[in-house]
Amino acid sequence: MTLPASAPTLADIRAARDAIGGLVLRTPSIVARELSALAGQDVLLKLETLQPIGAFKLRGAANAISRLSDKQKRHGIGCCSTGNHGRAIAYAAARAGIRATICLSALVPEAKVRAIRDLGAEVRRIGNSQDDAQAEIDRLARSDGLTDIPPFDHPHVIAGQGTIALELLEDRPDLAAIVVPLSGGGLISGIAIAAKALRPEIRIIGVSMENGAAMHESLAAGRPVEVTEVPSLADSLGGGIGLGNQWTFPICRALVDQTILVSEEEIYRGIQALMGDQKLVTEGAAAVGPAALIAGKLKLDGPSAMIISGHNVDPDQFLAIASGQPVKIGDQTIRG
Ligand SMILES: *Cc1c(COP(=O)(O)O)cnc(C)c1O
């Protein structure tokens, strides 16, 4: 299977690394002792939780902003997002002196909304899905000339996320696999392009939650399909891939070796495992790799890395999970 002609290349991802260097942290990868013992291989954790906004999405946002024209910068930028992309756009725009408008669905947790406002962006809450929020952004693009920076399906965003793989392979050139939380697929697409260009035999594995795994369902169907959005501990993995998806669907189809689904109980245990192993505070989306390993759904046959993608979790929810108490998500009660 071939990539779209306009898909980013290794050279684009290297250029992105230079462009975002002032704003984005080069994060460490640390060995997780207990997860490594369980896997029988070194398991490295790539700590994107340490980024200034607490998630990797700053990489893609910073790269997209670096590529705007002066005219686009004057009219401002915007996006709709389940949270971390919005934070990233708000933070990177404020640093660049650009106005940012973020549209969010009503399902996005209040803590994330407040965090975006605190970063200096205007927030509008619209409807109950990513699609409703996107319609409002499209309207602002037509009426105000705002530039929409999408959360995943954009070559500059994909190239920014791909910088993670450059760092990982510097740290461990012999990696056999990279395990990546998977939603719209911007993160895994960038990582797959860079990693496979540098190390063709590497395996790229995506992990999503069972309820509403849009890319997994789309890959199975052979075309982008819609999924129902369901509240999840991995709220950052919610939302569709877009029926008009141009880049991440074909890139995932060509380069992702395997996708795995994990249940809410398994995600709960993944969060506990990262807390127990390395005392990490993580959100559910970041814990799906450990969750798959602990559940026996992921087999690793060489040193592997897991992208610990973010830590923007409601503190009460995290504390409940860390201390083994049940948590309510929508109308489900999750126990470890
Ligand atoms: C956005 C996000 C993901 C998934 O990234 P995609 O590019 O949409 O696949 C995973 N983890 C966190 C914390 C995120 O914010």
Side-chain angles (χ1 to χ4, degrees):
M1 303 239 188
T2 53
L3 298 183
S6 52
T9 62
L10 178 62
D12 294 323
I13 294 168
R14 288 190 163 130
R17 190 177 185 182
D18 293 336
I20 69 179
L23 210 56
V24 171
L25 190 70
R26 192 230 188 268
T27 55
S29 4
I30 61 169
V31 175
R33 270 193 314 121
E34 291 168 19
L35 293 172
S36 298
L38 186 61
Q41 307 288 347
D42 275 359
V43 173
L44 275 72
L45 307 178
K46 178 68 166 161
L47 298 185
E48 289 299 299
T49 48
L50 298 177
Q51 293 295 352
I53 61 143
F56 73 89
K57 285 212 172 61
L58 189 56
R59 295 175 185 262
N63 191 46
I65 287 174
S66 80
R67 305 286 294 262
L68 294 174
S69 69
D70 289 342
K71 181 167 176 227
Q72 287 173 314
K73 286 180 181 164
R74 276 197 305 278
H75 285 286
I77 62 172
C79 68
C80 72
S81 161
T82 54
N84 285 330
H85 178 61
R87 290 174 74 122
I89 291 290
Y91 179 88
R95 287 297 199 86
I98 298 171
R99 197 162 53 91
T101 306
I102 318 291
C103 296
L104 298 177
S105 101
L107 291 182
V108 174
E110 190 55 38
K112 292 194 170 189
V113 174
R114 212 177 316 118
I116 290 170
R117 286 212 175 97
D118 289 349
L119 291 167
E122 185 192 332
V123 175
R124 298 194 189 181
R125 304 200 79 175
I126 306 280
N128 280 312
S129 74
Q130 196 99 339
D131 291 347
D132 295 339
Q134 184 63 48
E136 176 68 3
I137 283 290
D138 294 345
R139 195 184 65 74
L140 291 171
R142 285 191 303 270
S143 63
D144 299 7
L146 161 151
T147 299
D148 172 17
I149 300 188
F152 53 86
D153 199 29
H154 191 289
H156 300 160
V157 173
I158 293 168
Q161 322 304 29
T163 58
I164 291 176
L166 304 181
E167 298 172 6
L168 267 177
L169 284 164
E170 279 171 8
D171 291 351
R172 268 312 279 263
D174 61 339
L175 280 182
I178 306 178
V179 182
V180 187
L182 171 58
S183 175
L187 176 61
I188 202 169
S189 292
I191 286 175
I193 290 169
K196 294 212 168 184
L198 292 166
R199 189 168 164 75
E201 67 272 37
I202 201 165
R203 284 169 49 76
I204 305 295
I205 301 164
V207 189
S208 304
M209 73 285 200
E210 271 170 12
N211 299 327
M215 185 62 81
H216 174 88
E217 302 293 341
S218 298
L219 291 170
R223 64 188 159 78
V225 294
E226 293 201 65
V227 292
T228 314
E229 257 187 83
V230 182
S232 169
L233 282 175
D235 55 282
S236 289
L237 301 185
I241 69 164
L243 292 179
N245 186 296
Q246 288 185 66
W247 287 282
T248 62
F249 176 71
I251 295 170
C252 285
R253 192 161 55 166
L255 299 181
V256 170
D257 296 288
Q258 185 188 0
T259 55
I260 296 173
L261 302 184
V262 287
S263 70
E264 295 299 310
E265 285 73 22
E266 287 162 355
I267 296 168
Y268 182 112
R269 282 175 226 133
I271 294 171
Q272 284 189 321
L274 288 170
M275 173 66 193
D277 195 322
Q278 294 297 319
K279 307 295 173 278
L280 295 175
V281 176
T282 59
E283 53 180 286
V288 294
L293 182 68
I294 294 163
K297 294 177 173 178
L298 171 64
K299 297 276 174 278
L300 299 173
D301 52 13
S304 300
M306 294 184 173
I307 311 301
I308 307 304
S309 52
H311 72 186
N312 292 316
V313 59
D314 171 42
D316 292 336
Q317 185 186 88
F318 177 79
L319 289 172
I321 294 172
S323 58
Q325 278 148 48
V327 289
K328 270 192 85 82
I329 296 293
D331 53 16
Q332 311 163 258
T333 301
I334 320 294
R335 289 165 228 276

